[in-house]
Structure formats: C-alpha cells, structure tokens
C-alpha cells in the first residue's frame, strides 16, 4: 500500500479511473487469453484515507488516468548533476595520477590525483580485500567541509590483504592485491586503473575518461553558507576553490540553486557530484541495481535516460523503463562464460547509472554472422555511475563464479536475516479490514474453506486518526483479545506503522519527539513538516541513533498498547513519502543529525526505519525471538532487517509477469525475501489472472495478497468453486514445500545464495531472459507458459492427465525429460509447470494444515529425482522457527540426503547442531528407479527392517512406505 489514489497536476493525491489492458499470449502448444476487460471503474474514496485537514481540492481532482504522471519525477536532463555529467564526452579526462606520491601501507595504497584544469588534488586509496574483492575510494584531499561517507551499511571494515609493488616504469605502477593472483595497473596520464587476474583483463576504471569529482568551492557572489550552530560537519576554512586551485571552473545554472516544478533546492554547498566509468571486456550481460520494473538483464541506455536509483513513492509505476522506484541497491553484476563479477557503488545520494554495449542493437543473426565470418568485436559493456554528492567508494567483487559474487557482497553488507517460519506462509491483506469483526470473519473464512494462512494484515485505517502505535477505539476496541484469538488459532497479525507522524500536540508520539528534538529539520532549523496520510506530518530523523533507540522502545508491550508477541510490523511510505514534497519525497536541503543534508543520505532513510523497527521487535522479547518487518524502501544492507515487496502494482498480466525478474533482481542484490502483491494492488483481477497470480506467488519468497481500498473484496472463497479449488491447491503446494523454502533461506542466511534465482548460476551460457528459478523445484509460473530453457541433465515435471467437469484438477503423475532441449509443456488453468532437476532430493510435508505452526512435528516425504548417473542429493534445515536459539545455542538440525549405488542415506550436514523433534519420515518417492527386489532400512544403531514399496513402471517411480525413522537421525535405505 502506498500512493493509494491517483495524483493530479502536482497535488499530493488525486483520484483516477482505469481499464485493465487486454494481453493475448500464444506460446508453444498453449493458447492463453490471460486478461479479460474489466471495464471502467471510478475511484471516489481518496478523501476517506486523508484526515479532514486536507485541502478540499484534493478530493475534487477527478478524472486522472491510472498511470504514473512522469512530470512529477525528474529526467536526467532535469537533474542538474546528471545533465552536467552526461554532457562530458569520453576521451578528455583532466585527471592525472601522481605516482611519485604513492604511500604504501601494509594493507592500503594511497596515491594523489590532480585535476589538471582546476589543480584540485584528490586522494585515491586502494585495497585488496580478503576473498577476491578490490576496493577503491576517491575523495578530496583538503575539502572545505567533510563529505558524507555512508555509515551502517558495511558490517565493519573488511579485512585486507598485504599489497606489494610488483612493477614500475615511466607512467605506470603495478600493485599485487594479495594471494589471489590479482594485479592492478595504475596509469599516470590520463589516470586509469586496469584490474587483471594473471594476464586476463577483468575491468578497467576511467578507461573512457569520465571520472568526475566536483570539488567543494565557495559561491562567488555570496558569503559562505553556515551550518546549524553546534552541529557536526560545520564548514571549514579553505582556499577559494579548494586546495591549490588556480583556475575557477565554469558555473552553470542549477549548480547553486535548482528548481523543479514549484520546489526550489537551495543547494547551499554548491555542486558536489561524483562519477566514474567502468569497462567490462568480454561481458555482454549485466544485471542488478534494483529497483526497476524491467527485465532481469539491464538494457543499454544510449538514447534514453540512465537507470535511476532514488527512493520514491511512484504511483502506478510503468513497466520496462529505468525510472526510480521505492528502493535502491547500487550493486551491478556482470556475467559471461566462466566469469562473474560485481560493482558495488557505496553512495546513498541520488544516483544514475548509464550502460553501454558495443553489441547493442545487433540481432542474434548479426552476431552469428560475425562469428561465422571470423570477425566482430569482442563484447564489452560500459557502466557509468553518477551520484549527486558524497565520495567515490567502490567494491569490485571478482567472483569468479556467480555464487562467489553474492557471497562476497554478503560478507560486506550482511546476508538475508533468517525469517521466522510463519512469515514464509501465506499472508492475507487489504486496505483495509474494517474492524475486529471483519478480521474475525476473514480468519474464519480461511478455516471454513480449508485454506492455509498464517498472517492477517491491517492497513492505516486501524489506527486512531492515522496516529501510529494506536488503535481506532470504535473499530478495534480490544486489540489484545483479537490477537490472542489469532494466536490460539496459530495465526498472527501485522499492523502498519509508517514513519510520518501526525502533527498533533495531543498525540504522545509527536509531543515526545518534538520535545526531544528528534524530527528532521528544515534548512532554517525548524521541524520539517509535509503532507502524508494523517495530513500535516513531521518526519523522525532515523539517522540519529537516539531516534532509532526511541523508536525501538515503542514496540515494547507496555508502550504499544494492545500489542502481543503475535503482532508484527509493516513499514510503508519509508522512502520517505512526502505528498507535498518535490518528487513526492523530502526536500534535499532538509537537515539531519550531524548537519548532513538530506541529499547526502536519502536512500538510507528507509533502511534506518526498518532497522529500528526490527530492533524494537527483538528487544521486546528480550532478544529471544526473531522479528518480521516488511519495508517498501530499501538500500544495501536492508536484507539484515526483513522483507521487501515490489510496491503498488496493478491487476494486469504484465505486472504479474514483471514480478519475476523484479524479485530475481532483488535476490541478486541480497534482498532474498521479496514478493509482489498477489492479484495486484490497483484494479480488479479477473478470475484467471487471480488464480494465476496465486500460482506464481506460491513460488516467490514473500507470499501476500493485497488490494486497494477501492477494489472489490477478493478473499479466495469469493471466487467460483472451480477457481477456489485451484487457489487452495496453490496454497497447499506452498505449504507442502515450506521445508524446502526454509532450508533455502538458511543457506541464503549462511552463504548469501539467493533463494529465488534464474538459471544463470547453473548454466555457463544463460538465456538472455532467464525465468527458471529456485535451485531444486524449477517453477515457471504461467506468465506466460510454453518454451523454457532447460539446463543439462534430467528434469522431472507433472504429466497432465485429462481434466473433467467432475475433476478439474486431477492428480498429476511425474514424468521426465532429458536436457538440454526445447521443452513444450501444455498446461491448463489447473496446472503449474514445476520442474525438479534430476540429481536432487526435496523434503516436503504433505499433510494439509491451517498454518505453519500447526505443521510443527508433521512427518516428511522425500522426493528423490535421480540424475542420469543414478545419483541425487539434498538437504533439510530445521529449528524452532521463531527464536535465535539456532545461533546462540546451536539448537537446529541440518540433514544431508544422498542417493548413490542404490542406497539413500541421511547424515548430519552440521554436527554442531542438535534439536529434538517428533517429526519422522513418512514416505520416500524415488523418480527414475526400476523395481527392486527388496528395500532394507538400516537405522543408526545398526538394526535393519524391510520396507513395503509400490512401483509404477510406466513412470519409473518407486514409493517406499512408512520408513518411520526420526527425521533427525542417521539412517540408510538400500535397494537391491
């Protein structure tokens, strides 16, 4: 939930009408007509969400189309620093490396750079970090005032390797970066860096000469700006245009003041942007830098805007364009056969990323013709980063394998927090469930229709006048009783707590924060106020540790009245969203703790909100229980604090389809706990789209249905019985596979491996639009169906029996195909194309239950899909699902399953862990197995028991019945 209603003519929020676009997809043997025209719909309720203080004209702004108003958001040409940097042409770099200034410490090399036009000196620092990572940082040698360097994102100072000078001649310096065989060549004029592994060039820095570092200077026609008295970061005395300056650069309009629409940015410190280019020889495919509603593979940006990273509340965002959305992770990954690498640009200011390619525009036939003729260029991708302020701080993640890159990034910024198990179940939400009776009725509906569900959600209408940490006394008079009822049914509740605080002297939260001086300030030192859902709102300064400490304390049970351990939190609007602000966010010249301007740290704000909330949830349990917090805005490191989602999407087939590459991109950037609003936030989905979205959402990490206030109610049982049955099947499949999901999250938490991922990590030459994801069950939700790329080996998938009116979703038999090949999979509305790779073992819990907590102790079934060599392996991770005991007390089970030479074994994958559980092994299903003469179970104490089995010769499936061994013990099953 976010923007809610529409925008009109620059107003905070308007209203809109819209029509769902029809999309016909024909693929392979399937003809899918996914969208049905839903007609026109009028949204009249925008004023119901806003407090009475809102200006009347907001409710009268009618007729706007349900689509993003691009005029509310800047293009590169309208962003002064982006415009200035983009006008710089390659090949004329003014920067020279003063190699004679080299200072070589045990783990860092320092070299001065100089701009030969302005004579302003810069400092280049170089590190070779442990684990195949190179870091470079460029900053002013003698700035007029400190420049912002991003705090709280890195886990700490990364350990560095010893550097050595291994070569030197006139104009070039060679540094060894540690034992990994990486070398760095530093060229004097123009300044350039070339990173090599042995003799292979991996990456060049400033090869195109696009380094930009706008040094701090004093405005020629006025006195120097003054920082707020007593704050850190006050202006320091210095030369007129920076140390050693003898020539003043030209000044352009917008360098000292910039106006966008009706908003003026005072820019008291003038232009301070930075930029740098990176050349990636041999690379044609680049990914990452979320969030953008685009394909997984990033497109060249010549002739259009660069990709923008600037956290914004974008109403009804468009697809397939580089506009900024709610979150930003400045991490780009490149992949080619036998090598993957990443570029992590640690800067929290507004950032634009240009991508160029020497193969852009060439068709596949053209590339093939080049190859056959023995000509053509070696593919090369150019990446150019441009940020409004701060310093240049870059980490080059050198892989060489894809999972090495994600692990390297995880060691820098942290891995995805291990979520509580209930949060991997199904979440039911809308704006808004009206009152306690409505919540009880919805929960009862899931029970009566035998639909599993773990969490119900409450949007902003649950609070008293949109005063967060409160409850509407008329609609929710007894929240504790409501929460206890849900907990008794083994379910939970999430309430929204947004980071804008209603300006109201009688509201305790506002009064305390104002008295403590913990709100963001204007450039003049007053509390910054803007319009959001409560009306006039103030914004807590989450960059201040005292503010985060206070916010965390508010989640204590004696502070958040009516809360219990069954209540968790949703932080929406944390970009921050300011309806009356420029680009619907905070003014860049607002002031934060330490005197820093908002422009310096804008993209960090959402991370700090989610962090403070997560810390509050942990603290309320005495540090014992894991938190669950959903946030909309994010930055590098947000993965340590909870889940994210793709924002306010629309009930259209293209929005369902784009959720897959968006979440894949999130996962590559460390944000593994991602999902999209099932059914679409805006507009009403037709029954086929709603069913398909449940089927796709069941195979995304975060699984929540959510809808706008103006949409029709869409609880699953409101569908026709045949569609309800399909939704029930999708929900039950999600719950059956929860052991696999939880194990994947544990691997992600420990190793940084994305939970949802495409074929790239497992194939040397990935498809340009990879859509197969997850390690073991490879799901290709119908968005649309048809031709899929299959990696080498064997894949197992359901064989579709004929459906009838009496059995629209009949049981499916497994069948197998060898790969690689182009596989045509005919599907019906009742099937999900799910593939299990040969050579894997998947644990499942197949007994239907109402929630994850109700499944605790249920027996397991192992699905063993054999490889062409007759082998398979897999794993299972178990803990209590809610606490930190797995980390603090080693209370967990991590089991390894392996099949080879006709024997399936279970052994401990991590002997440090131990935990008692009543769960046991109920069945083993082996795919690709002939009929044995006997099956013999051997337990950990050596005792042996013959097992009953059933064999399906048509599909080569062997089912072993009731081995009955505890899931946490060692055992083996021999087939002879």
């Amino acid at each position: 939930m976010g923007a809610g209603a529409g925008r009109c003519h620059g107003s905070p929020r308007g209203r809109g009408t819209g029509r769902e676009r029809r999309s016909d997809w024909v693929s392979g043997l399937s003809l899918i007509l996914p969208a049905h025209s839903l007609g026109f719909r009028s949204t009249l309720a925008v004023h119901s969400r806003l407090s009475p203080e809102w200006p009347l004209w907001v409710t009268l702004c009618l007729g706007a189309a349900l689509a993003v108003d691009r005029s509310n958001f800047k293009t590169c040409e309208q962003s002064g620093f982006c415009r200035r940097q983009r006008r710089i042409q390659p090949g004329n770099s003014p920067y020279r490396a003063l190699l004679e200034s080299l200072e070589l410490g045990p783990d860092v090399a320092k070299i001065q750079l100089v701009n030969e036009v302005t004579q302003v000196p810069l400092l280049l620092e170089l590190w070779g970090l442990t684990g195949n990572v190179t870091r470079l940082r460029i900053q002013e040698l003698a700035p007029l005032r400190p420049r912002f360097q991003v705090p709280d994102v890195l886990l700490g100072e990364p350990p560095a390797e010893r550097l050595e000078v291994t070569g030197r001649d006139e104009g070039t310096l060679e540094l060894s970066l540690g034992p990994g065989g990486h070398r760095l060549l530093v060229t004097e004029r123009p300044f350039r860096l070339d990173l090599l592994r042995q003799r292979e060039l991996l990456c060049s820095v400033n090869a195109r000469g696009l380094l930009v570092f706008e040094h701090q200077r004093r405005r020629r026609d006025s006195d120097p700006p003054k920082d707020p008295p007593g704050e850190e970061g006050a202006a320091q005395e210095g030369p007129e245009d920076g140390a050693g300056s003898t020539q003043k650069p030209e000044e352009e309009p917008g360098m000292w003041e910039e106006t966008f629409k009706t908003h003026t940015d005072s820019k008291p410190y003038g232009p301070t942007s930075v930029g740098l280019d990176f050349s990636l020889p041999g690379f044609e495919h680049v990914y990452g830098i979320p969030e953008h509603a685009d394909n997984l593979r990033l497109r060249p940006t010549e002739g259009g805007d660069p990709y923008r990273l600037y956290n914004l509340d974008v109403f009804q965002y468009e697809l397939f364009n580089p506009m900024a959305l709610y979150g930003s992770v400045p991490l780009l990954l490149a992949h080619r056969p036998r090598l993957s690498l990443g570029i992590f640009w640690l800067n929290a200011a507004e950032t634009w990323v240009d991508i160029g390619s020497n193969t852009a525009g060439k068709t596949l036939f053209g590339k093939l013709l080049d190859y056959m003729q023995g000509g053509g260029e070696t593919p090369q991708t150019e990446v150019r980063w441009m940020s409004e302020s701060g310093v240049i701080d870059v980490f080059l993640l050198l892989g060489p394998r894809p999972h090495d890159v994600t692990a390297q990034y995880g060691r820098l910024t942290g891995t995805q927090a291990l979520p509580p198990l209930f949060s991997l179940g199904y979440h039911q939400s809308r704006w808004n469930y009206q009152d306690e009776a409505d919540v009880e009725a919805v929960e009862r509906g899931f029970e009566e229709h035998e639909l599993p569900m773990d969490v119900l959600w409450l949007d902003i209408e649950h609070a008293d006048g949109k005063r967060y940490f409160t409850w509407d006394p008329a609609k929710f008079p007894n929240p504790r009783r409501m929460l206890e009822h849900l907990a008794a049914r083994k379910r939970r509740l999430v309430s929204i707590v947004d980071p804008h605080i209603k300006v109201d002297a009688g509201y305790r939260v506002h009064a305390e924060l104002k008295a403590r001086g913990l709100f963001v300030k204007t450039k003049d030192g007053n509390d910054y106020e803007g319009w959001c859902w409560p009306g006039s709102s103030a914004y807590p300064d989450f960059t201040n540790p005292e503010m985060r400490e206070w916010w965390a304390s508010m989640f204590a049970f004696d502070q958040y009245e009516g809360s219990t351990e069954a209540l968790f939190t949703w932080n929406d609007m944390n970009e921050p969203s300011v309806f009356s602000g420029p680009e619907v966010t905070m003014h860049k010249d607002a002031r934060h703790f330490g005197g820093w301007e908002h422009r310096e740290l804008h993209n960090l704000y959402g991370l700090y909100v989610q962090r403070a909330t997560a810390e509050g949830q942990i603290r309320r349990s005495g540090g014992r229980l894991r938190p669950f917090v959903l946030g909309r805005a994010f930055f590098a490191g947000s993965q340590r604090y909870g889940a994210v989602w793709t924002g306010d999407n629309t009930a259209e087939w293209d929005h369902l389809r784009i959720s897959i590459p968006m979440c894949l991109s999130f996962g590559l950037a460390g944000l593994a706990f991602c999902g999209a609003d099932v059914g679409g936030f805006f507009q009403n989905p037709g029954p086929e789209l709603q069913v398909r979205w449940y089927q796709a959402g069941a195979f995304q990490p975060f699984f929540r249905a959510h809808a706008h206030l103006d949409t029709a109610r869409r609880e699953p049982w409101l569908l026709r019985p045949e569609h309800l049955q399909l939704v029930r099947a999708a929900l039950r499949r999600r719950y059956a596979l929860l052991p696999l999901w939880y194990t994947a999250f544990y691997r992600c938490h420990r190793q940084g491996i994305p939970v949802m991922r495409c074929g790239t990590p497992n194939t040397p030459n990935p498809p340009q639009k990879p859509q197969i994801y997850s390690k073991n069950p490879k799901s290709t939700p119908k968005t649309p169906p048809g031709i899929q790329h299959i990696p080498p080996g064997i894949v197992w998938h359901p064989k579709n029996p004929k459906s009838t009116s009496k059995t629209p979703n009949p049981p499916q038999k497994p069948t197998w195909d060898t790969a690689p090949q182009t596989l045509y999979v005919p599907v019906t509305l009742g099937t999900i194309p799910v593939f299990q790779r040969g050579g894997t073992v998947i644990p499942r819990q197949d007994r239907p239950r109402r929630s994850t907590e109700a499944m605790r102790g249920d027996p397991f079934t192992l699905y063993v899909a054999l490889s062409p060599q007759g082998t398979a392996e897999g794993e299972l991770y178990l803990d209590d699902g809610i606490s930190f005991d797995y980390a603090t007390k080693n209370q967990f089970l991590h089991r390894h399953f392996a099949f080879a030479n006709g024997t399936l074994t279970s052994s401990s994958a991590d002997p440090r862990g131990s935990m008692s559980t009543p769960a046991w092994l109920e069945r083993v299903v082996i795919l690709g197995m002939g009929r044995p003469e006997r099956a013999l179970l051997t337990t950990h104490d050596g005792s042996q028991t013959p097992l009953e089995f059933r064999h399906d010769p048509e599909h080569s499936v062997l089912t072993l019945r009731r081995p009955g061994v505890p899931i946490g013990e060692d055992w083996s099953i021999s087939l002879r």
Side-chain angles (χ1 to χ4, degrees):
M1 190 272 312
R7 292 196 187 97
C8 53
H9 310 300
S11 67
R13 289 293 184 270
R15 50 164 285 175
T17 60
R19 168 178 285 177
E20 182 168 315
R21 181 165 59 85
R22 186 179 181 90
S23 173
D24 295 334
W25 287 336
V26 181
S27 181
L29 303 180
S30 302
L31 173 62
I32 305 300
L33 302 176
H36 300 284
S37 177
L38 300 181
F40 286 93
R41 171 178 73 79
S42 178
T43 58
L44 301 175
V46 60
H47 59 281
S48 71
R49 183 150 202 167
L50 306 174
S51 295
E53 296 90 338
W54 271 75
L56 180 61
W57 51 263
V58 173
T59 66
L60 298 179
C61 187
L62 307 180
L66 275 177
V68 64
D69 182 354
R70 290 195 181 190
S71 69
N72 282 331
F73 304 100
K74 290 182 179 179
T75 64
C76 178
E77 188 64 21
Q78 293 169 316
S79 179
F81 79 92
C82 185
R83 180 179 64 248
R84 291 194 302 275
Q85 291 209 29
R86 237 187 174 195
R87 288 178 180 175
I88 298 172
Q89 296 301 309
N92 295 303
S93 176
Y95 291 95
R96 177 166 64 95
L98 305 179
L99 300 183
E100 65 278 7
S101 68
L102 171 68
E103 296 180 21
L104 187 63
D107 55 10
V108 62
K110 298 181 179 181
I111 301 173
Q112 289 186 30
L113 309 179
V114 65
N115 184 320
E116 294 188 302
V117 174
T118 65
Q119 295 301 307
V120 173
L122 305 175
L123 177 64
L124 166 67
E125 297 170 281
L126 300 167
W127 293 265
L129 303 180
T130 302
N132 280 359
V133 178
T134 297
R135 182 182 189 180
L136 66 96
R137 183 166 63 197
I138 301 175
Q139 53 189 319
E140 288 185 72
L141 188 63
L144 290 177
R145 63 190 296 272
R147 295 184 73 122
F148 186 75
Q149 297 189 40
V150 177
D152 300 319
V153 168
L154 300 179
L155 294 179
E157 282 300 313
E161 303 284 1
R162 185 173 185 85
L163 300 180
E164 294 181 5
V165 176
T166 53
R168 193 165 193 165
D169 59 24
E170 186 175 354
T172 306
L173 178 70
E174 181 183 275
L175 294 171
S176 169
L177 300 177
H182 292 96
R183 296 177 297 130
L184 192 64
L185 300 182
V186 186
T187 301
E188 179 178 19
R189 181 187 282 122
F191 162 64
R192 169 176 172 153
L193 298 173
D194 291 289
L195 183 59
L196 298 91
R197 181 182 59 190
Q198 308 303 337
R199 296 185 177 183
E200 181 184 16
L201 179 61
L202 304 181
C203 173
S204 297
V205 181
N206 203 39
R208 302 174 69 212
L210 297 175
L211 168 61
V212 171
F213 206 106
E214 292 184 326
H215 65 280
Q216 296 178 86
R217 65 206 78 181
R218 298 226 173 107
R219 191 168 184 171
R220 299 176 187 174
D221 56 355
S222 66
D223 295 329
K226 295 181 180 179
D227 283 296
E231 291 191 339
E232 300 175 18
Q236 302 173 355
E237 293 297 325
E240 179 67 20
D241 278 309
S245 176
T246 61
Q247 180 175 351
K248 298 177 181 178
E250 294 183 12
E251 293 191 355
E252 300 180 16
M255 294 178 73
W256 290 91
E257 185 177 271
E258 192 169 348
T259 298
F260 178 68
K261 302 190 80 167
T262 61
H263 301 281
T264 297
D265 177 7
S266 63
K267 302 182 77 168
Y269 303 108
T272 56
S273 77
V274 296
L276 190 58
D277 65 277
F278 299 80
S279 299
L280 305 175
F283 288 95
E284 196 174 358
H285 305 281
V286 290
Y287 311 90
I289 57 171
E291 179 181 17
H292 300 97
D294 208 342
N295 289 322
L296 179 62
R297 180 187 173 189
L298 301 174
R299 295 174 287 112
T301 56
E302 291 100 331
D305 262 5
Y307 286 95
R308 192 183 187 198
L309 297 174
Y310 191 60
N311 295 358
L312 293 172
D313 180 0
V314 181
F315 165 76
Q316 192 127 12
Y317 54 83
E318 290 184 6
L319 308 185
F320 307 109
N321 72 49
M323 290 179 66
L325 290 179
Y326 310 99
S328 302
V329 180
L331 172 69
L332 181 140
L333 300 100
H335 180 76
R336 74 184 195 208
R338 296 177 297 282
L339 180 63
S340 296
L341 59 80
I343 302 173
F344 176 36
W345 177 269
L346 184 53
N347 191 300
E350 177 188 352
T351 298
W352 299 78
V353 185
D354 251 329
I355 295 172
S357 171
N358 62 355
T359 61
K362 286 189 178 181
T363 65
L364 180 62
F365 176 77
K367 295 176 185 177
L368 181 61
L369 188 62
D370 285 343
Y371 175 79
M372 293 173 63
Q373 294 176 345
E377 300 176 83
T378 299
Q380 179 159 306
T381 295
E382 308 287 352
V383 182
R384 181 183 189 179
W385 301 79
M386 300 169 282
S387 294
E388 185 176 13
S389 59
V391 302
I392 294 174
D393 196 359
V394 183
F395 296 82
L396 300 174
L397 315 176
L398 304 178
R401 296 166 297 181
H403 68 265
D404 293 324
V405 176
T406 55
Q408 288 156 357
Y409 178 71
R411 287 193 291 271
L412 291 173
T413 66
T415 57
Q416 178 69 55
L418 182 63
L421 180 59
F422 77 82
S423 65
L424 302 185
Y426 173 67
H427 301 247
Q428 180 68 33
S429 178
R430 75 172 281 110
W431 168 32
N432 202 92
Y433 289 119
Q434 298 300 318
D435 50 31
E436 291 178 5
D438 198 6
V439 170
E440 185 173 343
V442 172
E443 192 274 337
R444 187 170 58 251
F446 278 88
E447 195 74 12
E448 291 174 351
H449 293 89
E450 299 181 339
L451 299 167
M453 183 269 291
D454 265 82
V455 190
L456 277 167
W457 290 57
L458 293 178
D459 212 317
I460 61 173
E461 311 300 338
H462 84 278
D464 182 9
K466 302 174 181 66
R467 298 170 179 88
Y468 304 112
F469 298 106
T470 71
W471 304 84
D472 185 307
K475 299 176 180 179
F476 296 91
N478 196 341
R480 181 177 294 275
R481 187 201 66 82
M482 176 180 63
L483 287 161
E484 288 172 349
H485 171 76
L486 287 171
R489 303 292 283 268
K490 303 185 187 307
R491 289 173 169 142
R492 292 164 171 83
L493 187 77
V494 165
S495 65
I496 197 167
V497 181
D498 286 349
H500 48 260
I501 303 302
K502 182 180 179 65
V503 175
D504 177 358
Y507 175 28
R508 177 171 71 96
V509 173
H510 181 267
E512 285 195 27
L513 293 180
K514 186 174 182 65
R516 292 169 179 258
L518 293 178
F519 286 121
V520 177
K521 306 300 181 186
T522 66
K523 60 185 176 65
D524 300 316
N526 302 312
D527 285 350
Y528 179 91
E529 295 180 4
W531 288 89
C532 209
W533 294 130
S536 184
S537 304
Y539 289 78
D541 184 2
F542 285 92
T543 68
N544 188 336
E546 183 184 348
M547 175 62 232
R548 298 198 298 273
E549 178 74 18
W550 185 92
W551 185 266
S553 73
M554 285 297 295
F555 291 91
F557 300 126
D558 61 349
Q559 295 295 315
Y560 194 163
E561 186 177 353
S563 66
T564 72
E565 285 187 351
L567 181 66
F568 295 86
T569 311
W570 175 15
N571 291 147
D572 200 3
M573 317 298 283
N574 57 334
E575 292 77 24
S577 180
V578 184
F579 295 167
S580 54
E583 301 192 89
V584 201
T585 192
M586 189 171 286
H587 291 73
K588 288 184 174 181
D589 55 8
R591 293 299 185 100
H592 288 269
F593 175 72
W596 297 110
E597 287 190 290
H598 185 71
R599 84 180 71 251
E600 310 269 8
L601 49 83
H602 171 84
N603 288 341
L604 272 176
Y605 189 88
L607 175 148
Y608 278 133
V609 176
Q610 193 173 19
R611 169 182 170 176
T613 302
E615 289 174 350
Q617 286 187 13
I618 294 171
R619 204 171 298 174
R620 74 181 183 182
S621 69
R624 186 174 62 90
L625 301 180
R626 284 174 252 168
F628 172 72
V629 184
L630 178 71
R632 189 170 69 175
F634 53 80
F635 189 65
S638 288
Q639 66 271 14
R640 306 198 298 264
Y641 306 115
V644 294
W645 92 108
T646 62
D648 297 340
N649 58 2
T650 303
E652 295 177 353
W653 288 91
D654 279 351
H655 274 264
L656 167 55
R657 185 178 186 179
I658 205 71
S659 70
I660 296 172
M662 288 182 76
C663 275
L664 288 170
S665 181
F666 281 35
L668 290 174
L671 298 161
F673 203 0
C674 166
D677 286 346
V678 169
F681 179 67
F682 291 110
Q683 303 184 23
N684 294 302
E688 184 181 355
L689 176 57
Q690 189 170 351
V691 168
R692 287 302 188 201
W693 215 315
Y694 270 98
Q695 292 172 340
F699 286 90
Q700 293 181 359
F702 177 56
F703 187 20
R704 180 186 76 155
H706 184 52
H708 188 279
L709 179 71
D710 291 335
T711 61
R713 292 289 286 255
R714 57 170 90 144
E715 286 73 37
W717 53 88
L718 299 178
L719 292 164
R720 294 177 60 173
E722 62 268 28
H723 295 126
L724 171 59
Q725 181 175 340
L726 299 179
V727 170
R728 182 185 294 114
L731 290 171
R732 288 183 175 179
R733 179 170 288 192
R734 168 64 171 223
Y735 277 75
L737 287 170
L738 280 174
L740 177 69
W741 282 105
Y742 199 53
T743 301
F745 266 97
Y746 180 72
R747 293 184 73 224
C748 178
H749 176 59
R750 289 299 192 196
Q751 303 172 31
I753 299 173
V755 171
M756 175 178 172
R757 55 192 183 273
C758 64
T760 302
N762 303 302
T763 56
N765 295 292
Q768 293 193 14
K769 294 183 180 179
Q771 294 188 14
I772 302 174
Y773 58 97
S774 184
K775 181 187 179 185
N776 289 334
K778 293 186 169 296
S779 168
T780 55
K782 278 283 265 44
T783 60
I787 304 172
Q788 300 293 338
H789 173 91
I790 305 297
I794 289 179
V795 292
W796 289 86
H797 58 88
K799 180 180 180 181
N800 300 329
K802 292 183 179 179
S803 62
T804 67
S805 59
K806 293 183 179 180
T807 313
N809 188 28
Q812 297 172 343
K813 295 290 186 179
T815 187
W816 59 272
D817 290 274
T818 58
Q821 66 166 292
T822 297
L823 184 62
Y824 294 82
V825 183
V827 293
T828 67
L829 186 60
T831 56
I832 311 172
V834 179
F835 300 84
Q836 179 173 352
R837 183 187 305 121
T840 61
V841 179
I842 291 179
R844 291 173 51 134
Q845 288 178 297
D846 287 330
R847 295 187 180 184
R849 302 292 189 187
R850 68 160 60 105
S851 68
T852 55
E853 188 175 338
M855 296 169 63
R856 191 171 298 169
D858 274 0
F860 287 84
T861 295
L862 298 182
Y863 287 79
V864 182
L866 300 184
S867 71
Q869 294 75 35
T871 61
E873 62 177 344
E875 58 184 343
L876 171 67
Y877 173 79
L878 292 174
D879 59 25
D880 62 19
I882 56 172
S883 78
F884 288 105
D885 289 352
Y886 75 93
T888 60
K889 300 179 181 180
N890 284 332
Q891 291 185 2
F892 65 88
L893 293 176
H894 192 186
R895 306 300 300 174
H896 179 259
F897 306 112
F899 186 95
N901 301 318
T903 300
L904 175 65
T905 60
S906 172
S907 59
S908 175
D910 188 344
R912 295 173 301 173
S914 64
M915 185 185 75
S916 63
T917 174
W920 53 284
L921 183 62
E922 184 174 36
R923 275 192 312 163
V924 177
V925 179
I926 305 177
L927 311 177
M929 188 72 194
R931 179 184 177 90
E933 293 184 4
R934 64 172 182 162
L936 190 65
L937 169 68
T938 303
T939 60
H940 71 286
D941 61 2
S943 61
Q944 295 185 327
T945 305
L947 298 177
E948 295 182 6
F949 61 85
R950 183 180 69 247
H951 186 257
D952 178 353
E954 180 182 356
H955 299 99
S956 300
V957 176
L958 177 69
T959 302
L960 305 171
R961 299 175 179 174
R962 298 184 68 85
V965 289
I967 199 66
E969 290 187 1
D970 291 353
W971 48 262
S972 66
I973 298 175
S974 300
L975 305 175
R976 296 290 181 264

